């Protein structure tokens, strides 16, 4: 199983975002409620972006960790990793196998200028996808409750992108969302540390896209 868990405080329009659920598994919200984040707080030690993968195998023990992305001093990376190793997942059922979760940590000075991702129409978003010509898919959004909006957080190629549905979930969008989580945005290297894991919204109209 995989899950992506973050803490975000975003003054948008107040509409509910429904996280995509895991295939044959609990929702992200259920997993977050299960986590005991332990004692201690993260300290600000300078600007950095760190993404950590945590693998839980025992409800009474901390996870094994792997840093899947880092941009910042080694001391900050180690500090984040030690923080995640204090997590526990007491409701984990060991017989069901390990659970892998991914968490992003972003440290920055409040007054520092930073790159931001803009909300996009689907056609504009696809123009910013790397190697789109290699994709062979067809989606009819008229069967998916169109028009609708998705919240998109880019993590590729380091982890699966995170997708949330605005207001309500529609099971007919599952294959489309499964495709989106694997797409890599074509971003300059200097921009990636600022926007990896940042939220943007994609407006999906009533149309058909055919890349076959």
């Amino acid at each position: 199983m995989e899950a992506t868990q973050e803490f975000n405080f975003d003054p948008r329009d107040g509409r509910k975002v429904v996280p995509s659920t895991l295939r044959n598994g609990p929702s992200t919200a259920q997993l977050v409620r299960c986590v005991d984040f332990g004692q201690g707080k993260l300290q600000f030690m300078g600007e950095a972006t760190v993404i950590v993968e945590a693998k839980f195998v025992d409800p009474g023990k901390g996870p094994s960790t792997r840093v899947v992305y880092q941009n910042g001093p080694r001391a900050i990376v180690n500090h984040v990793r030690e923080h995640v190793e204090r997590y526990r997942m007491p409701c984990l059922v060991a017989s069901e196998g390990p659970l892998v979760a991914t968490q992003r940590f972003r440290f920055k000075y409040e007054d520092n200028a930073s790159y931001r991702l803009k909300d996009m129409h689907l056609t504009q978003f696809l123009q910013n996808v790397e190697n789109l010509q290699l994709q062979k898919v067809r989606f009819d959004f008229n069967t998916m409750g169109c028009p609708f909006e998705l919240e998109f957080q880019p993590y590729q190629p380091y982890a699966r992108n995170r997708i949330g549905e605005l207001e309500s979930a529609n099971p007919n969008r599952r294959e489309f969302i499964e495709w989106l989580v694997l797409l890599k945005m074509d971003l300059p290297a200097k921009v990636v540390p600022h926007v990896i894991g940042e939220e943007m919204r994609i407006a999906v109209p009533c149309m058909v896209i055919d890349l076959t």
Side-chain angles (χ1 to χ4, degrees):
M1 290 188 291
E2 292 185 0
T4 300
Q5 181 263 316
E6 296 187 46
F7 299 97
N8 272 310
F9 301 91
D10 189 8
R12 284 183 176 263
D13 56 19
R15 284 182 292 169
K16 182 175 70 171
V17 178
V18 182
S20 55
T21 57
L22 306 175
R23 285 191 182 274
N24 302 317
S27 69
T28 301
Q30 288 174 311
L31 294 171
V32 172
R33 286 195 294 270
C34 177
V35 179
D36 177 352
F37 293 99
Q39 301 297 316
K41 295 182 178 181
L42 285 167
Q43 300 177 3
F44 183 82
M45 302 166 63
E47 290 200 321
T49 300
V50 184
I51 300 174
V52 180
E53 179 185 271
K55 182 177 181 180
F56 296 87
V57 297
D58 188 312
K61 296 181 180 179
S64 59
T65 59
R66 181 174 68 92
V67 176
V68 298
Y69 177 82
Q70 62 186 69
N71 183 275
R74 171 56 58 182
I76 299 178
V77 176
N78 291 338
H79 179 52
V80 168
R81 193 167 189 167
E82 291 168 0
H83 177 78
V84 174
E85 288 171 350
R86 290 196 289 268
Y87 293 178
R88 299 291 183 272
M89 189 164 280
C91 61
L92 178 71
V93 179
S95 61
E96 294 181 357
L99 184 142
V100 180
T102 304
Q103 185 172 5
R104 181 193 67 148
F105 297 83
R106 177 83 171 95
F107 304 88
K108 66 178 181 177
Y109 294 102
E110 186 174 310
D111 56 350
N112 272 15
S114 183
Y115 295 93
R116 298 284 297 178
L117 288 172
K118 296 181 179 180
D119 296 345
M120 298 182 188
H121 186 277
L122 177 63
T123 54
Q124 182 184 8
F125 169 77
L126 293 178
Q127 291 171 5
N128 289 276
V129 170
E130 189 175 281
N131 297 321
L132 182 65
Q133 70 277 9
L134 301 180
Q135 300 292 324
K136 305 298 180 184
V137 296
R138 183 184 187 278
F139 296 109
D140 183 353
F141 301 115
N142 296 291
T143 66
M144 302 182 192
C146 65
F148 58 92
E149 287 185 70
L150 300 175
E151 186 174 86
F152 179 87
Q153 293 174 264
Y155 282 94
Q156 289 285 0
Y158 309 101
R160 290 163 61 92
N161 300 322
R162 179 187 181 275
I163 313 294
E165 300 176 65
L166 269 292
E167 294 296 344
S168 61
N170 185 323
N172 293 327
R173 301 170 189 162
R174 174 59 66 90
E175 297 305 320
F176 176 53
I177 289 174
E178 291 282 339
W179 180 64
L180 289 176
V181 300
L182 299 176
L183 296 183
K184 180 179 182 294
M185 294 191 73
D186 189 6
L187 299 169
K190 67 178 181 180
V191 174
V192 173
H194 301 274
V195 302
I196 189 168
E198 289 293 320
E199 302 91 350
M200 60 175 287
R201 290 190 177 172
I202 301 174
V204 182
C206 292
M207 62 179 288
V208 176
I209 60 169
D210 191 341
L211 303 178
T212 58

